[in-house]
Amino acid sequence: MSESYEFLFKFLVIGSAGAGKSCILHQFIENKFKQDSNHTIGVEFGSKVVNVGGKAVKLQIWDTAGQERFRSVTRSYYRGAAGALLVYDITSRETYNALTNWLTDARTLASPNIVIVLVGNKKDLEAEREVTFMEASRFAQENELMFLETSALTGENVEETFLKCARSILTKIESGELDPERMGSGIQYGDALRRMHRQEKLQPRTSRPDCAC
Amino acid sequence: MALKLKLKSFIGSKQESVQTPIEETVTDILTIGAAVTKNKVEIKPVNPHEEQEIIDGIEENYYDNESFDTSLHELQKLPEQLDADQITEDCLRLRNQLQAVSKRVSELILQNHLAYATELQQVMDLQRTLQAAGLVCQTGRKHLSHARKSFTVASLGLLSNYRKRQQLIGLLKSLRTIKTLQRTDLRLREMMEEEDYCGAIHLCQECQKAASTFKHYKCISELSSKLQDTLEMIEEQLDVALSKTCSHFDHQHYSKVQQAYRQLGKTQMAIDQLLMHFTSAIHNTAFTIILGYVELTSASSGAANFQKRQYDDLCKHITTETFTPCLVDLCKAMWEIMKSYFKTISWHALNDQDSCDGDSEIFHQRYVGTKLDHGRSRIWEDVQQRVKKFVLATDLSGFKFDEFIYILDIINRMIEVGEEFCASKSEGLQDTLKLQSLNYFKTHHQIRLDELRMFLENEAWEMCPVRSNFNILHLVEFRFMRKWANSRHMIPENELTTEDKCESLTTDQESKSYFSCYLEEGNPFDKQFEEEEKEDVFSALLETDGELLSDSDSDVAEDLKKDYIDEITGEAHSYKHKRRSSSRTILHKQTPLITNTTLNVLRVMGKYLQMISILKPIAFDVLSSLTQLFDYYLYTVFSFFAPDASSHNEQAVNPRLLNTLQRIRDNLLTNSSVMYVPNKKDPDASTDKVATAKMSSVVQLSDPKSLFGLAERVVATESLLFLAKQLDYLQPYLEELIPITKKTFLSQFYSQTVKMAVEVRVPVYGVVSGLSVSYESVLQQMSTVRWDVKEIMSQHNTYIDQLLKCFSDLRKKLEEVDKRVPLPKVVINLFWEQCVKNANRTFVEGFANAKKCSNGGRALMQLDFQQFLTKLDQIIELRPIPDKEFVEAYIKAYYLPESQLETWINDHKEYSSKQLLALVNSVDHLSRKSRQKLTNIIEETDKGRRL
Ligand SMILES: Nc1nc2c(ncn2[C@@H]2O[C@H](COP(=O)(O)OP(=O)(O)OP(=O)(O)O)[C@@H](O)[C@H]2O)c(=O)[nH]1
Ligand SMILES: [Mg+2]
C-alpha cells in the first residue's frame, strides 16, 4: 500500500541473542507476541509508519541477529542508521554485560549522531530479574542513552520505545542538530516532503543546479 | 202551569170552605191500597151487571200505564169554571168505579188464593232444595280444593322440575365444554411455547370441530372465529419455528415442525416457505453481521444510519482491521445456514422414505425432493453473492501477506464447501479470488521489488553463515513443499522430519469432506485457532530448521565457528593455517555462499509459491513475478560488480548474458535512478517496474589490498548462482504449477536467465584478475629485452620473476580473502585461469613487440615461458594450464618452413594481425617475396575481420 510519510528513519535493533529483538519488532509491527521465535539469521526487516508529533514517519527497521557468527553480516547494516534499539534481557546478566561491546560497535560503525535507546526486555519476568532498573538506568545515564523496560510478551512499552527514539530524532532535525540531507544520516524525506523540498530548492536557490535528489 | 194556576185560583176562591175535602181527596187518591181495603168493607155488594157497567165506564186512560197519574188526569179534566156539583158527581162516579174495581180485585184475589198458596209452598220447597244443593256444592268444592292442594300441584311440580333439571344439566355440560374451549386458547399458547405444534394443531382442530357442534350458542360464533385466528397464529408460529431451521437445524425440532405441517396438509407449502426462509436468512444474517462490524467501527465517527443502507453499500464501510474477522464470521454464519440446509435434505431423505404411503404422499415427496435439490444451487448462489460482494468491496492490497493468505484460504475453503454443497464451480467466488489476488499481488510484488532494492542497497555482500547442506526446504517459507519434495525423494533421508513421514497419513484426513467433518460441531472457518496450533508444530520444527539453516553451536562445522572467533580475537594464524588446508577443501565444496538478500529473495519466492498453491488462477502472474526477483538480483549483481564489462573487453561477456541483461533493463527497470515512489494515481505506469539499485557505500571495490572487493564479488556472484541452483531445484515444481500454454515462458526463463547466471562470473572475476596484476608493466619490461641474441641463453628474463612474484602475492591475498569468505574451488580456478590467460596474452603481445628476433631469442622466449610454467605450478593448483598452446604455438611458429607457415597463419585466427605480422617479419629465413605474400594474406584476413 502506498503510505505517504514525511520522513523515513533507518532503525537498527541490536543486542545479544535471545534478548527478544525479533519479538519486540514483531510486537511492534503485528501487535502480537511471536511465540517460539527462532534465532534470526543475518538480518531481517520490517517497516511501519508511525505518527510522531503529528508527522508521519516511516520506520525502516533492521532486526539483526545477535549470535556471534553473524556479527560480520550484521555490522554492515549499522552504517547510516538514524536510531538504534540496544536490547538486553533483564533476566540475563550475560546479555547486560555484553552491552558495552554492542555500544562500542554501534558508536564506531553507525553515524555519530545515532540515537540509541537502551531496552531492558522481558519485563514480564519480574521473578527472574537479574538486572535492576536502577543499575541499567545508571548505565544509560553514563552512556547518554534513553532507557526503557519493555515486554514483547505483553507489549508494554514496545511502541513507546520506537516512538521515543523517533521523537528524539525528529527533535534533533528540528533543532538543526541533525541534517537529514547529510550522507549516511539514516534519514530520508518522504514522498510529500521531498516534493516540497525540491520546489523549495528550485525556487530560491536556482543557482544550484546539481541538486541531488 | 196551567194546572197550578187552576189550582191557585180554585184555592183562592174557596179557601175556607173546601180546604179539608181537598185534603182528603188527595190523600185518598194517593193511597189507593188503603182505600181498597177500606172500601171493601163499606161498599155493599151491588148487582154484577151494574158493576160491569161501572167497570166498563172507567176511562181507557187508567189502564194505560202504571205511571198514569190519575189525580192529575182528573184535575186536568176540570173545566175552567169549576163547578162543585160536577166535581161531586165526578167524585161519586169515581168512587163507584173504585168500588167496583176493588170489589173485582178482591174477588179475583180470593179466586186465586189457593193457587197462590200452592205456588208459595212450591217456592218454599224449591228454596229448601236449593239450600241443600248449595251445601253439597260447598263441601264438594272444599274437598276438591283439598285434593288439589295435597296431590296434583306437588307431583306435577316435581315432574316439571325434573325436566328442567335435565335440561340444565345438558346446558351445563355445553357450557363447560365452551368454557374449556375458551380456555384451550391458553393451553394452545402453552403448547406453542412447549413447541408442541402438532398437539396444538390437533387440539385446535378438535376445538373447531367441537365448536361447530355448539354453533347454536351465540357465544360460539365468536369463539370459533377466535379459534380460526388461533389456528392462523399457530401457523404463523410454525412458520417462525420453520425459519429457525435455517440458522440452526435441530432434528427433533424439525421433525415436530414437519409433522405439524403434515397435519395441516401443507407440506408442499412448508418447503416453499422454507426455501424462502433460507434465502432471507442468508440475506439477513449477512446484513446483520456486516452491520454489526460497521457500527462497531464507526461508533465514534458520525451517527450515519447504516440500518437503511444497501448491503453493497454497507460492505464498503468495513475497515481493513475488521475485514478478516468479519469475513470469518460471515463465512461461519453462511456455513451454518448451508449446514442446516444440508441437514434438512438429509432429514427428508431419511424420513420421507419411512413414511411412504399413498400416491399423493409419493407425489409430495417428489415435489419436496426436487424443490430441495434445486434449492441447493439457489442457496449457494445467494451465499456466494453475499461473500463475493463483501470481499470485493474492500481493497485488500494493503493487507499483510499472511493475513491475505488467510483470507484466500477462507475463500478457497468457501469454494470447496460450495463444490461439495452443490457441485458448483463458484465462478463468482473464483472471479473474486482472481481479481482480489491480482490486485493484491500487483501491489504486494511492487512492495517486494522495492524491498528487494532496499535490501540490495543495504547489502554489504557479507556471507551469511548457514549450514553446509542448506537448501530452500530448510526455510519456513518452503515448508509446504516438503511433501512434494519428499514424494520425489528430493530430501535426504537423514533430514526427513517425523512430520514429513506422517504427511501421507494426514493428507487423507485433509481431503475429508466439510459436511462430514463439521456436521455436528465445529466450523470449517474456525481454523484460525487450529492454524495457530499448526504454527506451533511449525515452530517446534523450526527449532531444527534453525539448526539446519545455520549451524548451531554444537554442530559439525565447529571449524567454521572457530574461524569467526579467530577473526575477532586474532588467535594464532599459523596453527590455524594447517588446520585450514584440511578443513578448507571440505568448506569449499560445502558452504553455500549466500547473503542476507539471498535469503530474503528465497523467502519471498517461497511466499510467492505458497500463493500459487493457494491461487491457481493467477499462478502465471505470480510465477512471472517470481522470475523478476531473480532477474533483478542478477541484473544488480552484474551492474554492481561488472559495470564496465560490457563496454570494453567484449569477448569476456557472453553475448547471451548481455541480451538477457538488456531484456531485464527494458522490462523491469524504470529509467530514472530516482528512488522509487509508489504512485497511486497512476498505478499502471509503475507496475512491475523498479529503479536500479545503487550499491551501498560500505562496499569498496577499488582497494587492491582487498583484491578489489573480491570477497564481496564472490559472495554476490556465488549467491546469485546459489539462487540459480535453487531455481533449478524448483523447476519441476514450477512446471507442474503453470498451464501448458505458458511452459515456453518458463523454459525461456531457465535457458535465458537462470542458465546465464553462471556467465556473470567471468566478467566479475575478470575485473579483479585484470586489475590485480599489472600486465602493462610486464609488457613494459618485455620491450626492453633483446630478442636478437646470438647465443643460447641459460637464464630467463626478470619480467617472469616479477610476474611470478605478482602471482604469488595474489595467492597470498586470495588466502586472506579466503579467510573471510571460503572461496569455492571453481572461483579460484576461474580466477587463476583468467590471470594465466591474461599473462599468456601479455607474453604473446610482448613477443610480437620484438622488432628483431633471432633463433636464440626464440629459445629465450621458450625458456622464459617454461620458467613461468614451472614456477606457476607451485603457485596455482589449476590443471591444465589454460592457453599454454597459445604461447607455445606462437613461439614455435618461428621455426616453421615457409610452406607450412601459410597454412599455420590461416589456421590460427586467435592471434591479432599485428602479432601475425610481427611473426612474419621476425622470421629471418623467409624470402622477401614470400614474406610479402604472407603479409598480404594477413592484411586481407584483417580486412575481412573488420567487416
Ligand atoms: N517472557 C518473555 N519472553 C520473551 C520476551 N521477548 C522475547 N522472549 C522470548 O525470548 C526468546 C528469544 O526471543 P527472540 O526475539 O527470538 O530473540 P532475539 O533477540 O531476536 O534473538 P536473535 O535473533 O538470536 O538475536 C524467545 O523464546 C521469546 O519467546 C518477553 O518480553 N517476555
Ligand atoms: Mg532475532
Side-chain angles (χ1 to χ4, degrees), chain A residues 15-24 33-41 63-67 121-125 150-154:
Chain A
S16 298
K21 300 181 291 298
S22 302
C23 289
I24 289 176
F33 178 62
K34 192 177 177 185
Q35 208 80 44
D36 293 306
S37 165
N38 297 289
H39 282 303
T40 304
I41 294 146
D63 166 33
T64 64
Q67 281 176 305
N121 190 38
K122 311 201 188 175
K123 192 174 192 282
D124 52 292
L125 300 174
T150 62
S151 167
L153 190 122
T154 65

Side-chain angles (χ1 to χ4, degrees), chain B residues 245-256:
Chain B
T245 307
C246 301
S247 47
H248 175 71
F249 183 90
D250 179 84
H251 189 84
Q252 248 183 326
H253 173 83
Y254 190 71
S255 300
K256 267 196 271 184

